[in-house]
Amino acid sequence: MEDTQFSAGPAPHPLWVVPHWGHESPRRVQPASSIRPGPHVWSFMKPAGKAVVALIACCIAQFVLTVNGSIVSIVLPDIAKEFGSSMTMLQWTVGVYVLAFACLLTAAGNMADRLGRRRILLAGLAVILIGSVVCALSPDVVVLIVGRVVQAVGAAMLASSGLAAVSARSTDTAVRVRAIAWWAAIGGVALAAGPFIGGVVSEFFGWRGVFWMSVPVALIGLALVPIAVKESRNPSPLPFDVVGQLLVSGFLAALAFAMIEGTQLGWTSAPILISLGAAAVLLIVWLLRARRRPDPLIPLRLFADRPFVRASLTSIIGFAAAAGFFYIAPQYLRSIRGESALEAGIFLLPLAIAALVSAQLSGRIVAAGRAGQDLVAGGGIMALGSVMLLLWSDGSLWVEAASFVVFGFGYGLLNDPLSVEELAALPDSEAGLASSLFSTSKQTGQLLGIAVVGTILSAASADFANAYRHVGGWVWMALLVCSIAVAALNIPSLGTRTKTAQARTTTAPDNRPRTS
């Protein structure tokens, strides 16, 4: 005899059958053995609970992709000691992650819009897990750099789908803005907290532990994403521009090679001149080609959107300053101040806390429509921190700590307004592309920041300690200039009330124009 279930309403999944206690007579439904397991396994979870879990899953993805960009800096002295690496190779260990990340973001965004954001989110977590294992087991610096490239492939997939998945989870304006604020805040805090986390982990597990750390975090994300993140995609995705992707990737790679290797090979050497020339040619060819195509890799119409252009430039310059800071600060504490990895990490903890506090404050400011004021304040506070470092970097550690906290507080104000502005530039159906463009701006800025700071130091000496003693002041000056530029770019928007991404005209999933 077949086992039967009884229910007064729609048949639930067999794992979650409950007896009927209503007034209607129970009705016979299909046998439990014949019910195919499906998406209703988690139907017991309320929509609000799913939304929270979805946000947590996306924030985990944002955390793991961002923290891997800064966590390595604090263990660079240990890597150099074990592998005997030069300063240039150490630059590549950090820079290649950012470079590959930036090159692949737009392609990953197109994949997310086409194949589904949840699917790409899951794939990205799996790939970054594999890359982390390769890094942790690397026998030499070359394999380590290869593992960093694999990590970057996964990170690009996470970045291009995470923000889009957060945005797609809710159509309520206030809820969506708060969710984006949390997503952006986690990214900002992860970049700031990377050196602290790396210092603590490496103290107990060695420098390889900073890569093993990503494994359980990625596994948690892989467990949560299928539960609560709903699938979303562009019903009419743009064709993938393979040639355009190759042109943009080639441009970034050639520019990065010239900037990182210029000091060692010589700025007038043939390889550097060829790289710079190739970068210029590739950029020009891409621009000319994009003007003739109806569906270029990056729509040129975006560059007519002033808020988008301003937000993109602010992202590039602001994150160049942040990446330069997070590249030099941990090495400064270890090589100049003589701190251990743990001591340096603890020393940087107040900076991460300041960034978290200011990131939440930033969410409130942006929700009130004052993104311009937020960015001007962020740039100004970062400039103040840079001035303190420029004047008193050789002073007491307490003054140094105060300078770091001030810089971190200003940095924490950047993420939320920039993410909202760039997401607002494209309709909802192209949210994956919008997310990838925002992340591309950030990663391009980080790449430039690492390359410029590394170039300044390498020009003075191959040894970090000697280089800093000669040109450390110029590094802090470069961060000061970038911070002032962030504030100056956004002064024109002080008198206007900025609309959030949800208040601007977008396109609904059914392709009908709508306004929130």
Side-chain angles (χ1 to χ4, degrees):
M1 180 182 295
E2 293 181 323
D3 296 332
T4 58
Q5 297 175 347
F6 295 93
S7 172
H13 188 277
L15 292 175
W16 307 105
V17 172
V18 294
H20 169 72
W21 301 106
H23 298 291
E24 298 181 39
S25 300
R27 60 182 176 84
R28 186 183 181 91
V29 297
Q30 58 184 341
S33 59
S34 68
I35 300 178
R36 190 190 313 172
H40 301 296
V41 171
W42 299 98
S43 60
F44 70 95
M45 186 180 291
K46 295 181 179 180
K50 281 189 176 182
V52 172
V53 175
L55 179 59
I56 292 173
C58 292
C59 285
I60 286 175
Q62 173 76 336
F63 173 84
V64 75
L65 76 92
T66 307
V67 79
N68 276 292
S70 63
I71 196 172
V72 180
S73 296
I74 202 162
V75 295
L76 288 179
D78 301 322
I79 294 173
K81 183 177 180 180
E82 179 168 336
F83 294 146
S85 306
S86 65
M87 187 180 296
T88 300
M89 293 303 289
L90 295 180
Q91 265 187 278
W92 278 115
T93 303
V94 179
V96 74
Y97 177 85
V98 182
L99 171 62
F101 193 172
C103 287
L104 296 172
L105 270 169
T106 307
N110 185 281
M111 290 172 58
D113 285 339
R114 183 182 299 274
L115 302 178
R117 285 97 188 218
R118 183 175 68 174
R119 181 177 298 175
I120 297 302
L121 196 61
L122 286 168
L125 286 166
V127 172
I128 206 168
L129 187 153
I130 294 170
S132 299
V133 173
V134 172
C135 290
L137 297 175
S138 56
D140 54 53
V141 72
V142 175
V143 176
L144 176 61
I145 291 174
V146 171
R148 293 286 283 167
V149 173
V150 177
Q151 278 189 316
V153 173
M157 301 171 81
L158 296 180
S160 62
S161 55
L163 180 56
V166 169
S167 180
R169 183 67 209 183
S170 174
T171 56
D172 181 82
T173 300
V175 172
R176 185 185 290 187
V177 168
R178 287 196 297 270
I180 292 175
W182 270 105
W183 183 88
I186 291 297
V189 172
L191 186 64
F196 164 71
I197 297 171
V200 174
V201 172
S202 65
E203 181 72 16
F204 297 100
F205 303 102
W207 67 265
R208 297 176 187 273
V210 304
F211 298 108
W212 284 120
M213 186 205 71
S214 295
V215 174
V217 178
L219 288 174
I220 293 172
L222 285 169
L224 293 181
V225 169
I227 297 175
V229 177
K230 67 179 183 180
E231 188 63 280
S232 62
R233 57 172 55 87
N234 187 347
S236 303
L238 296 173
F240 180 51
D241 184 4
V242 178
V243 176
Q245 176 65 59
L246 293 175
L247 290 172
V248 172
S249 299
F251 162 72
L252 291 173
L255 184 62
F257 177 84
M259 296 189 69
I260 293 176
E261 296 287 346
T263 302
Q264 181 172 341
L265 299 178
W267 289 103
T268 58
S269 63
I272 299 304
L273 293 177
I274 291 173
S275 295
L276 291 173
V281 171
L282 289 169
L283 178 61
I284 293 172
V285 171
W286 176 79
L287 288 172
L288 293 175
R289 186 174 180 275
R291 292 182 62 183
R292 296 196 303 267
R293 285 182 62 88
D295 50 3
L297 183 70
I298 302 175
L300 294 184
R301 57 183 164 80
L302 292 176
F303 297 102
D305 187 304
R306 289 186 179 181
F308 174 82
V309 172
R310 184 171 59 242
S312 297
L313 289 175
T314 303
S315 295
I316 292 172
I317 297 172
F319 284 97
F325 176 88
F326 292 119
Y327 178 75
I328 189 175
Q331 296 187 77
Y332 163 80
L333 290 172
R334 298 202 61 188
S335 300
I336 303 299
R337 291 290 190 172
E339 307 291 340
S340 68
L342 177 60
E343 291 169 338
I346 293 174
F347 190 84
L348 291 166
L349 178 59
L351 182 154
I353 296 173
L356 176 61
V357 172
S358 61
Q360 291 305 304
L361 175 62
S362 174
R364 295 176 179 270
I365 296 173
V366 173
R370 301 186 181 279
Q373 290 88 327
D374 185 292
L375 291 170
V376 171
I381 295 173
M382 288 171 64
L384 176 60
S386 300
V387 168
M388 293 172 68
L389 289 165
L390 179 62
L391 297 178
W392 301 306
S393 61
D394 294 328
S396 71
L397 279 176
W398 292 108
V399 175
E400 199 79 19
S403 305
F404 285 6
V405 168
V406 170
F407 188 94
F409 189 89
Y411 161 72
L413 295 174
L414 299 186
N415 279 275
D416 190 39
L418 293 174
S419 62
V420 169
E421 279 295 325
E422 295 206 38
L423 189 64
L426 287 172
D428 287 352
S429 60
E430 297 177 11
L433 177 59
S435 178
S436 67
L437 289 176
F438 171 53
S439 295
T440 299
S441 299
K442 290 174 59 177
Q443 298 306 314
T444 301
Q446 291 183 45
L447 177 62
L448 291 175
I450 293 168
V452 169
V453 169
T455 297
I456 294 173
L457 294 170
S458 299
S461 173
D463 177 72
F464 177 85
N466 291 333
Y468 182 85
R469 292 187 182 98
H470 286 89
V471 296
W474 289 104
V475 173
W476 303 126
M477 179 64 75
L479 301 188
L480 173 61
V481 171
C482 289
S483 301
I484 293 174
V486 168
L489 274 171
N490 293 277
I491 287 177
S493 64
L494 286 177
T496 60
R497 190 175 180 83
T498 307
K499 295 181 180 180
T500 63
Q502 290 70 36
R504 299 178 66 176
T505 302
T506 57
T507 302
D510 59 0
N511 293 324
R512 290 180 290 102
R514 65 174 173 80
T515 303
S516 300

